Amino acid sequence: MSEAVLDYDDVLAAYDPVLGLEVHVELNTASKMFCGCATTFGADANTQTCPVCLGLPGALPVVNATAVESAIRIGLALNCSISEHCRFARKNYFYPDQPKNYQISQYDEPIAFDGWTEVEVDGETYRIDIERAHMEEDTGKSLHVGGATGRIHGASHSLLDYNRAGVPLIEIVTKPITGTGAKAPEVARAYVTMLRDLLRALGVSDVRMEHGSLRCDANVSLMPKGATEFGTRTETKNVNSLRSVERAIRYEMTRHGAILDDGGTVKLETRHWHEDSGLTTAGRSKESAEDYRYFPEPDLVPVAPSREWVDQLRGTLPEPPAERMKRLQADWGFTDLEMRDVRSSEAVELVESTVAAGCAPQAARKWWLSELTRRANEAGVELAEVGMSPAQVAELQGLVEQKVINDKLARQVIDGVLAGEGDPAAVVESRQLAVVSDDGALSAAVDEVIAANPDIVAKIAGGKVQAAGALIGQVMKAMKGQADAGRVRELIMEKVAGERG
């Protein structure tokens, strides 16, 4: 059942929002955080487990060095200080998908801390202060069976898959974010978007939110205008799309506003986000740090990265995503709207690679954001997995520019490439799709169309040259789209002029 909400404008008139964002990032290491089990997504349930990640007695963890390196690089990219000496801790709690009944994490000694970053929304820059970025292990996955929602409520039974248990995680935690006002939901979305782009550029995660490799816990509270103390927060757990981050925060702001306006008290709790309804529902009462009974992990030695190693890793950082986007937009000559569409379609790297293969930027954008996006949507796959490479897109555009094919024929070429018939040139040859520019064949087709349409010919002869389009269309249809439209037009005008003469 939905709860009462207050109009968003009324919320902003009475309260200032305070945000806290906790982003969990699954690293793309080949093995888990503390054992050698594989981390392949989508493997058969419980096939990537061992005594360590199942928490069996006597099993001892060993730290994944690549995960530590990734954590340091993430911290550096977020302008964090890197700890010279930090420890793992046991976070004690019972969940069926955490087989040890504790999670190896970091508490008071994170590997990266006290950082900052910036995001831009509608031309205004917002600073986001980072509390810490710490290392931990992921939990397993519960599958609730028999209910209508996939949640435990109403389910007849639950199944457990421990493949994900022990996968390396980095949790990036902000300090309280204030001063965002009406833009709070958009700032949160911009921040998670920036993190996704940064992590992808670092090469430390595939950041696929639909797979759960990037998840956001969104903390929201409202503070009455003029107050100095934060309100009670709620934490909406595991929000797994950029759009949902924005929607969940906006909804929680209106829900909190209704409670406070009615004289009630917001309950400190976790919330579940429902994508279909755009609502949150209560989860569990929110624990404090003391409830987890943190204590140092006795089976792992401290992590003490040398300053030389940290400096070496600093030198591997990529160009910051915001600067890269501005550079690419300038290089490509895209408008703000065009660049926004490329980014929202997850096509930046695809367009960049297509341009590098020799294609003009606007042409690369056209193919990826029109035909190929449509094919990806129809197939239900990511754009990068549609089945056509940037090099093939560049080759396709080259054939269009050489007038070997036109745009209509190019779509048939795409069909062939996606069907596995080879590169564009091979598809053109095997399907005999090349444009016909031979005057003999074109002239015969034009003669037939002119003879069949004396009324249109008369209009053209009378000076209505735009009427030639109808004849061109008929010639193109007769030749199955393979005629050179420009040459067809020239022949029509020549023949009509000859008849008038």
Side-chain angles (χ1 to χ4, degrees), residues 179-218:
T180 57
K183 296 293 183 183
E186 289 89 343
V187 170
R189 177 174 181 162
Y191 168 71
V192 179
T193 301
M194 181 281 301
L195 276 185
R196 182 198 61 178
D197 294 344
L198 177 64
L199 295 162
R200 181 184 288 133
L202 287 167
V204 297
S205 173
D206 65 13
V207 290
R208 295 186 62 169
M209 298 187 80
E210 72 277 13
H211 286 177
S213 53
L214 183 69
R215 314 190 290 271
C216 178
D217 295 344

Side-chain angles (χ1 to χ4, degrees), residues 95 113 124 198 263 306 310 329 348 356 405 416 420 434 441 478 483 491-492:
Y95 279 115
F113 59 94
E124 186 172 354
L198 177 64
S306 69
V310 172
Q329 182 175 351
V348 173
I405 55 175
L491 288 172
I492 289 172

Side-chain angles (χ1 to χ4, degrees), residues 129-203:
D129 290 317
I130 306 297
E131 177 73 32
R132 66 185 186 273
H134 64 259
M135 299 179 287
E136 60 186 24
E137 59 179 339
D138 211 343
T139 62
K141 184 176 181 180
S142 300
L143 178 65
H144 305 299
V145 182
T149 65
R151 299 189 182 279
I152 193 168
H153 180 72
S156 60
H157 61 285
S158 296
L159 301 175
L160 298 174
D161 179 6
Y162 290 119
N163 280 349
R164 197 175 65 182
V167 168
L169 278 184
I170 304 297
E171 182 175 354
I172 303 167
V173 182
T174 70
K175 295 181 180 180
I177 304 169
T178 59
T180 57
K183 296 293 183 183
E186 289 89 343
V187 170
R189 177 174 181 162
Y191 168 71
V192 179
T193 301
M194 181 281 301
L195 276 185
R196 182 198 61 178
D197 294 344
L198 177 64
L199 295 162
R200 181 184 288 133
L202 287 167

